[in-house]
C-alpha cells in the first residue's frame, strides 16, 4: 500500500474510534491508533469523563496499550495516528514514548472551535512559572536533587 494511502487508512480508523466512543459517552471525540510495520499495535480513545481521569486522552491511552502489549516503555519505529492534533500533554507523551512519527487529522484550532482550548496550554508552557495561571512553588530542592543523584549513580538504573 502506498504510504499516503496507509496514513489515510489509519487516520480513518482513529476517526472511527473517536466517533464510536464519543457517541457511546466514553469521553471527547478523539481516537488514536499506533502502528508498527504496517500493523495496528494498539488503539485508544478519549476516556476522560468515563474514567474520571484527565490524562486519559486518546493518544495516552493508545501509548499505554501499545507499551503493555510490546512490554516496553519506548515505541521506536511506531507511528501514532490521531484524529486530532495532540494537546501538549499528549505531544509530550509522544516524545517520551520515542515514537517515530505522528500523523493527525483535525487541528488544535478545530478542537478549540468546539470548546477544547489546547492552545491555552501551548501558550502557558513557554511562560516562566511565576507568570503561568497555575500557581506553583518550589521547595526542598536539595533533598530532591539528592534522590536524583543517587538514581544517576546507580549502575543498575534503567535509563530512558
Amino acid at each position: 500500500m502506498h504510504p499516503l494511502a496507509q496514513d489515510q487508512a489509519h487516520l480513518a480508523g482513529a476517526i472511527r474510534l473517536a466517533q464510536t466512543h464519543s457517541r457511546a459517552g466514553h469521553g471527547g471525540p478523539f481516537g488514536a491508533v499506533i502502528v508498527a510495520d504496517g500493523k495496528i499495535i494498539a488503539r485508544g480513545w478519549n476516556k476522560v469523563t468515563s474514567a474520571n481521569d484527565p490524562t486519559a486522552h486518546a493518544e495516552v491511552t493508545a501509548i499505554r496499550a501499545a507499551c503493555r502489549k510490546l512490554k516496553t516503555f519506548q515505541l521506536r519505529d511506531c507511528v501514532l495516528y490521531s484524529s486530532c492534533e495532540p494537546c501538549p500533554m499528549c505531544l509530550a507523551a509522544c516524545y517520551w514514548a520515542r515514537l517515530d512519527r505522528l500523523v493527525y487529522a483535525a487541528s488544535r484550532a478545530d478542537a478549540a472551535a468546539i470548546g477544547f482550548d489546547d492552545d491555552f496550554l501551548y501558550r502557558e508552557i513557554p511562560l516562566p512559572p511565576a507568570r503561568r495561571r497555575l500557581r506553583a512553588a518550589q521547595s526542598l530542592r536539595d533533598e530532591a536533587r539528592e534522590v536524583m543523584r543517587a538514581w544517576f549513580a546507580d549502575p543498575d538504573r534503567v535509563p530512558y
Side-chain angles (χ1 to χ4, degrees):
M1 182 183 292
H2 188 274
L4 179 59
Q6 183 173 338
D7 283 352
Q8 291 176 339
H10 291 306
L11 273 176
I15 293 166
R16 280 192 303 276
L17 285 169
Q19 182 179 47
T20 299
H21 291 283
S22 65
R23 282 185 178 168
H26 297 157
F30 307 103
V33 175
I34 295 180
V35 174
D37 296 322
K39 295 182 178 114
I40 295 174
I41 301 300
R43 293 174 176 86
W45 50 89
N46 186 286
K47 298 177 183 178
V48 169
T49 57
S50 61
N52 293 317
D53 180 351
T55 68
H57 291 198
E59 298 88 345
V60 170
T61 61
I63 288 169
R64 289 173 179 163
C67 289
R68 276 192 307 273
K69 181 174 184 171
L70 298 175
K71 296 178 175 40
T72 183
F73 56 87
Q74 294 187 350
L75 299 173
R76 296 187 192 281
D77 302 321
C78 292
V79 180
L80 186 142
Y81 294 91
S82 179
S83 65
C84 187
E85 181 179 1
C87 74
M89 176 186 71
C90 293
L91 182 60
C94 290
Y95 277 98
W96 283 121
R98 308 297 196 266
L99 288 161
D100 187 51
R101 202 160 61 97
L102 164 68
V103 181
Y104 61 89
S107 70
R108 68 187 193 216
D110 298 327
I114 62 164
F116 292 92
D117 193 10
D118 299 351
D119 197 54
F120 164 73
L121 295 173
Y122 276 104
R123 289 189 314 270
E124 283 281 298
I125 289 169
L127 295 175
R131 292 196 45 222
R132 294 180 189 151
R133 251 189 235 173
L134 177 63
R135 294 184 337 214
Q138 184 179 23
S139 186
L140 300 177
R141 181 178 179 210
D142 291 339
E143 291 84 347
R145 289 176 65 196
E146 183 52 40
V147 173
M148 295 168 82
R149 280 192 286 273
W151 176 85
F152 186 72
D154 182 351
D156 296 326
R157 77 179 186 278
V158 178
Y160 56 98

